[in-house]
Amino acid sequence: MLSGRRIRVRGQVQGVGFRPFVWALARRFGVSGEVSNDAEGVLILCAGGDLEGFEAALRLDAPPLARVDAVESRAAQVAEGEGFAIVASGGPGAETRVTPDAASCGECVAEIFGDGRRRGYAFTNCTNCGPRFTILTGLPYDRAQTTMAGFALCEPCRAEYEDPGDRRFHAQPVACPDCGPRLWFERDGGEVGGDALALAAEALGRGEILAVKGLGGFHLCCDATDAAAVAALRARKRRPAKPLALMASCEVLEGYAAPGEAERALLREAAAPIVLLAKREGGLPEVLAPGQGALGWMLPYTPLHHLLCAALGRPLVMTSGNLSGEPQAIGNGEARETLGGIADGFLMHDRDIARRLDDSVERITPHGPMVLRRARGRVPGTLPLPEGFPERQVVAYGGQMKAAICLVKNGQAMLGHHLGELDEALTWEAFLQADRDYAALFDHRPEAVACDLHPGYRATQHAQGLGLPVLEVQHHHAHLAACLGENLWPLEGGPVAGIVLDGTGLGADGTLWGGELLLGDYRGFERVGWLRPAPLVGGDKAAREPWRNALVRLDQAGLAEEAEALFAAQPLAALRMAAERGLNAPLSSSAGRLFDAAAACLGICAEAQSFEGEAAMRLEAMAEGSGEGYGLPFESGVFETAPMIRQLVQDGRDGVRAGQRAWRFHAGLAEAFAAQARALVESGRAEAVALSGGCFQNALLLDLTVKALGDLPVLIHRSTPANDGGLALGQALVALAGLESR
């Protein structure tokens, strides 16, 4: 035995080439011993050589996809031996992080366009890229526990897989045309002979719509420059106006958009998200994103995508392979059944997808990156808990819309992928599957469960039926806590002023909230201010038909005649009676519905919006201007909306252009809430200001609010969604804070 060290490395260190990296370091520093994967991460037993330099390099020189959270070292007796060995993985368990899927690296892209044995091979990958979470069936991460298990390695691939000096050493999905997954093209239920990629490119060039099997599910694909093809896709998918995602190489993309440096860097990240980029005049067809100021772009992130984009040479629509509102198809049979009425052909392969993952959606704001949808490439990455939280296990189930699950264990929070709206039956099935899936993958045994206050939410009902202690968390408190947690605000960091603006959430008083100024922390909150409540006439219809919100806000402002002029074709008398009597017209302080009201007054989506947030997104895209915002005076805890609505209408009568009116609306909302939040900080009641809720995905509103807060410390969302996709994180932290006091 030799005197040496036992080194434990924790973090995202499996499936990222960490063991061969350690092996190479050991040779560099003259260290002998061994390295293995186990349930807690990577374990190194080492002796001899420059141990100090070796240990320092573990932190500083880690592989591209690795994230090292901790390197724990202690003296140990190590068996004497020659050289340094990579040994088999330890037993089962799930204390370590699972690696997200990663976009093709430069070396693999060069291979598929080169002259070697993987030329044109759509499943080329290595340790630094390729599928991870979407093919994983169990832990530890070895080939036998992925959907590659059925593909036996040929001799050349096995030699690469077993060579510690090769970049494919223990790359679990390693394959080539002789031993790996196969690609084919289908039409009318049968395989078409010939080069599958060439056949697909020809079909796209003729204006056809294809279903393309990707990493986390199928995409529906067409030529983005072909307005007729895009219109046909919209009609068949039943998606009349919601923006469609685009895919193109960097060179092609820059012919249609002008990304800044930060946007280019985000596009090129291993996560390869969809990134919102400002539209260029006279570029692509307006039908791709009607009335919007940006298009969502992503770079090819698998070899298949690289080859397809290169074959066509034009931007491609790459939207989720589903009917609107349903989950994305992941199985070949499922795709044939659900997408057969949409797609003219199918680009298929025989590597199974273990779990459904949509593409992540992100944007760059003047205040940094912003995640709008957390999914492929980001999940199951974990977030560290702020200082002061106990290391206990809880699970949280989020809300009804933009559902996501959060698991907390070992001082880390794993905020799961975007699932969708739980009132859709197939999405509910996907939620239940994800709950089982995450619990098994992370060996999670929660002692408590957190959920929303709303008894009608399916996620809340699910939580109540588990037989565990349940902590119900008010919707906007969860938003506030999520923002605090992402920013590592300590448990004992003191109260903050939370500006939480969203659609609706059940309030502590039983009414529907949505335009809130809170004072609180993880343990509790006080409702300091709120938008003047207005009835949601027709209940859920008010979220789909903006004119209903405009009617009640105009009436509150004493502008009944304006409502009658704008919405003469609507049954105003009946709705006014319902509002007066409270018949299916619950009161709400919703900021989202105030956005809808302003949009309808400007003629945007006045009758109906085809997807959630459409009116507000068009209002943001329209806004341009400067000067003071509309008045939103604060009296006895209430932000009075009537003056704002009166000014909006008067500007219209005075001929002020719509873009300026839209800008003044945004500015007025930002200035009013910022002024009251500032007062809380300056009085010493709050330590900082936190901005959360779906309305803060609006980059203009975010920018105007941050500017109005001046030099105050401001906490915003960057790596977790400000919308309901981040709720589960906040719920989990509130639950942990409650458990900590027990």
Side-chain angles (χ1 to χ4, degrees):
M1 303 296 287
L2 299 175
S3 293
R5 295 184 186 179
R6 183 182 190 276
I7 301 175
R8 158 72 61 206
V9 186
R10 302 185 188 277
Q12 186 172 289
V13 290
Q14 291 188 12
V16 295
F18 206 88
R19 287 180 298 169
F21 157 72
V22 173
W23 176 84
L25 279 187
R27 298 182 68 181
R28 174 178 154 196
F29 289 98
V31 171
S32 63
E34 66 181 41
V35 59
S36 63
N37 284 341
D38 68 3
E40 296 182 57
V42 166
L43 179 64
I44 305 165
L45 300 175
C46 55
D50 180 6
L51 287 178
E52 292 296 330
F54 173 74
E55 190 172 318
L58 290 173
R59 298 175 183 273
L60 299 175
D61 302 334
L65 298 182
R67 284 179 56 190
V68 176
D69 290 339
V71 177
E72 302 163 359
S73 176
R74 62 179 173 83
Q77 294 298 304
V78 178
E80 186 173 359
E82 293 185 7
F84 194 89
I86 297 175
V87 299
S89 298
E95 301 300 317
T96 191
R97 225 179 284 170
V98 180
T99 307
D101 301 275
S104 297
C105 68
E107 289 175 291
C108 284
V109 173
E111 265 190 292
I112 64 174
F113 291 111
D115 296 322
R117 67 192 187 96
R118 290 189 175 89
R119 176 178 175 81
Y121 186 54
F123 305 95
T124 300
N125 65 84
C126 71
T127 307
N128 298 322
C129 69
R132 298 290 197 279
F133 192 47
T134 51
I135 63 169
L136 185 69
T137 58
L139 286 175
Y141 176 65
D142 284 319
R143 190 178 180 97
Q145 305 214 71
T146 73
T147 59
M148 289 295 296
F151 297 94
L153 289 167
C154 65
E155 284 308 310
C157 284
R158 180 164 293 284
E160 294 170 328
Y161 182 85
E162 294 177 350
D163 179 2
D166 194 285
R167 80 175 200 277
R168 292 194 167 91
F169 177 76
H170 279 231
Q172 306 307 338
V174 66
C176 75
D178 292 334
C179 65
R182 183 178 74 90
L183 190 70
W184 69 90
F185 187 75
E186 279 186 22
R187 189 186 293 279
D188 300 324
E191 183 175 341
V192 180
D195 184 319
L197 279 159
L199 290 166
E202 289 168 9
L204 291 168
R206 291 193 298 269
E208 294 187 11
I209 297 164
L210 300 185
V212 178
K213 190 175 184 180
L215 272 187
F218 278 78
H219 285 111
L220 289 167
C221 177
C222 70
D223 180 352
T225 68
D226 186 337
V230 177
L233 173 57
R234 284 200 176 281
R236 295 182 199 177
K237 186 176 161 71
R238 301 176 201 162
R239 185 171 177 164
K242 193 173 184 179
L244 299 169
L246 307 178
M247 178 179 283
S249 67
C250 277
E251 296 74 21
V252 171
L253 182 156
E254 297 208 10
Y256 297 92
E261 278 189 34
E263 290 164 331
R264 284 192 187 90
L266 186 55
L267 284 162
R268 290 173 175 153
E269 279 193 14
I274 296 169
V275 179
L276 300 189
L277 302 176
K279 282 183 179 178
R280 265 188 178 172
E281 289 295 324
L284 292 167
E286 177 65 13
V287 69
L288 290 166
Q292 303 299 326
L295 290 169
W297 291 88
M298 58 183 157
L299 301 184
Y301 58 83
T302 70
L304 187 156
H305 293 138
H306 279 281
L307 293 164
L308 188 60
C309 286
L312 193 69
R314 297 192 289 276
L316 296 173
V317 168
M318 281 282 181
T319 188
S320 296
N322 58 354
L323 280 174
S324 288
E326 294 184 0
Q328 193 176 16
I330 61 172
N332 293 352
E334 178 190 6
R336 293 182 188 108
E337 181 179 345
T338 61
L339 305 180
I342 303 175
D344 300 305
F346 291 79
L347 190 55
M348 294 282 213
H349 62 73
D350 56 356
R351 184 179 69 201
D352 288 343
I353 297 170
R355 60 188 49 76
R356 196 184 318 266
L357 285 182
D358 283 308
D359 296 308
S360 292
V361 182
E362 306 181 13
R363 75 190 305 178
I364 295 293
T365 75
H367 308 283
M370 175 192 291
V371 171
L372 307 181
R373 183 170 74 195
R374 181 178 166 89
R376 179 198 48 78
R378 299 297 184 198
V379 175
T382 62
L383 304 161
L385 295 189
E387 179 185 338
F389 278 91
E391 290 198 1
R392 298 170 76 168
Q393 295 190 38
V394 300
V395 61
Y397 288 122
Q400 183 78 354
M401 303 178 71
K402 299 177 180 63
I405 295 168
C406 184
L407 282 64
V408 175
K409 180 178 180 180
N410 294 343
Q412 299 280 327
M414 198 293 296
L415 179 61
H417 60 284
H418 167 87
L419 290 162
E421 322 309 326
L422 295 187
D423 53 3
E424 162 58 48
L426 293 176
T427 305
W428 177 240
E429 290 178 15
F431 174 92
L432 295 175
Q433 179 183 350
D435 189 28
R436 295 189 297 268
D437 190 25
Y438 282 128
L441 281 176
F442 292 90
D443 191 24
H444 198 249
R445 296 179 177 85
E447 60 182 284
V449 55
C451 61
D452 195 271
L453 280 180
H454 200 302
Y457 284 1
R458 279 184 137 174
T460 299
Q461 294 164 359
H462 177 65
Q464 299 285 1
L466 294 178
L468 290 169
V470 177
L471 293 96
E472 294 182 340
V473 183
Q474 197 279 322
H475 191 92
H476 301 91
H477 186 202
H479 274 305
L480 172 61
C483 187
L484 293 178
E486 178 184 334
N487 286 277
L488 297 178
W489 190 260
L491 180 60
E492 304 298 341
V496 303
I499 303 175
V500 187
L501 307 179
D502 68 353
T504 59
L506 183 63
D509 61 358
T511 67
L512 297 176
W513 295 1
E516 311 304 314
L517 177 62
L518 306 180
L519 176 64
D521 57 14
Y522 302 104
R523 294 191 178 98
F525 70 95
E526 174 188 350
R527 190 187 190 202
V528 177
W530 55 93
L531 288 171
R532 167 66 65 190
L536 300 179
V537 284
D540 289 344
K541 282 188 176 180
R544 298 190 296 270
E545 300 177 1
W547 68 269
R548 294 171 179 264
N549 305 292
L551 167 65
V552 295
R553 290 297 184 186
L554 287 166
D555 282 358
Q556 284 182 338
L559 296 169
E561 73 286 354
E562 186 75 15
E564 287 154 13
L566 286 171
F567 313 119
Q570 303 296 348
L572 303 187
L575 266 69
R576 282 170 169 154
M577 182 180 296
E580 183 180 348
R581 297 180 180 179
L583 300 174
N584 195 22
L587 286 174
S588 175
S589 58
S590 169
R593 301 295 77 81
L594 183 62
F595 266 92
D596 290 347
C601 287
L602 291 172
I604 300 170
C605 300
E607 291 193 8
Q609 47 188 348
S610 66
F611 64 92
E612 189 216 357
E614 180 182 5
M617 290 168 67
R618 287 179 178 244
L619 191 69
E620 178 190 0
M622 171 191 288
E624 55 180 3
S626 60
E628 290 186 5
Y630 292 134
L632 190 63
F634 186 71
E635 300 173 11
S636 303
V638 175
F639 292 94
E640 295 289 355
T641 59
M644 169 178 274
I645 297 298
R646 283 195 288 267
Q647 288 178 280
L648 178 72
V649 170
Q650 188 58 50
D651 267 0
R653 292 170 177 170
D654 293 342
V656 175
R657 55 193 172 81
Q660 173 71 19
R661 295 164 70 196
W663 190 91
R664 291 192 70 190
F665 170 79
H666 282 81
L669 193 61
E671 291 161 3
F673 274 89
Q676 297 309 313
R678 172 179 283 280
L680 289 172
V681 176
E682 291 177 345
S683 69
R685 297 181 67 194
E687 302 294 329
V689 181
L691 309 181
S692 192
C695 292
F696 279 114
Q697 292 188 143
N698 179 320
L700 175 60
L701 180 67
L702 176 69
D703 185 43
L704 290 170
T705 306
V706 172
K707 286 177 177 175
L709 289 166
D711 58 356
L712 297 184
V714 181
L715 311 177
I716 63 175
H717 289 269
R718 291 186 175 88
S719 59
T720 63
N723 64 28
D724 284 7
L727 272 183
L729 172 63
Q731 292 170 349
L733 293 171
V734 171
L736 271 180
L739 290 175
E740 182 268 343
S741 62
R742 293 184 182 182

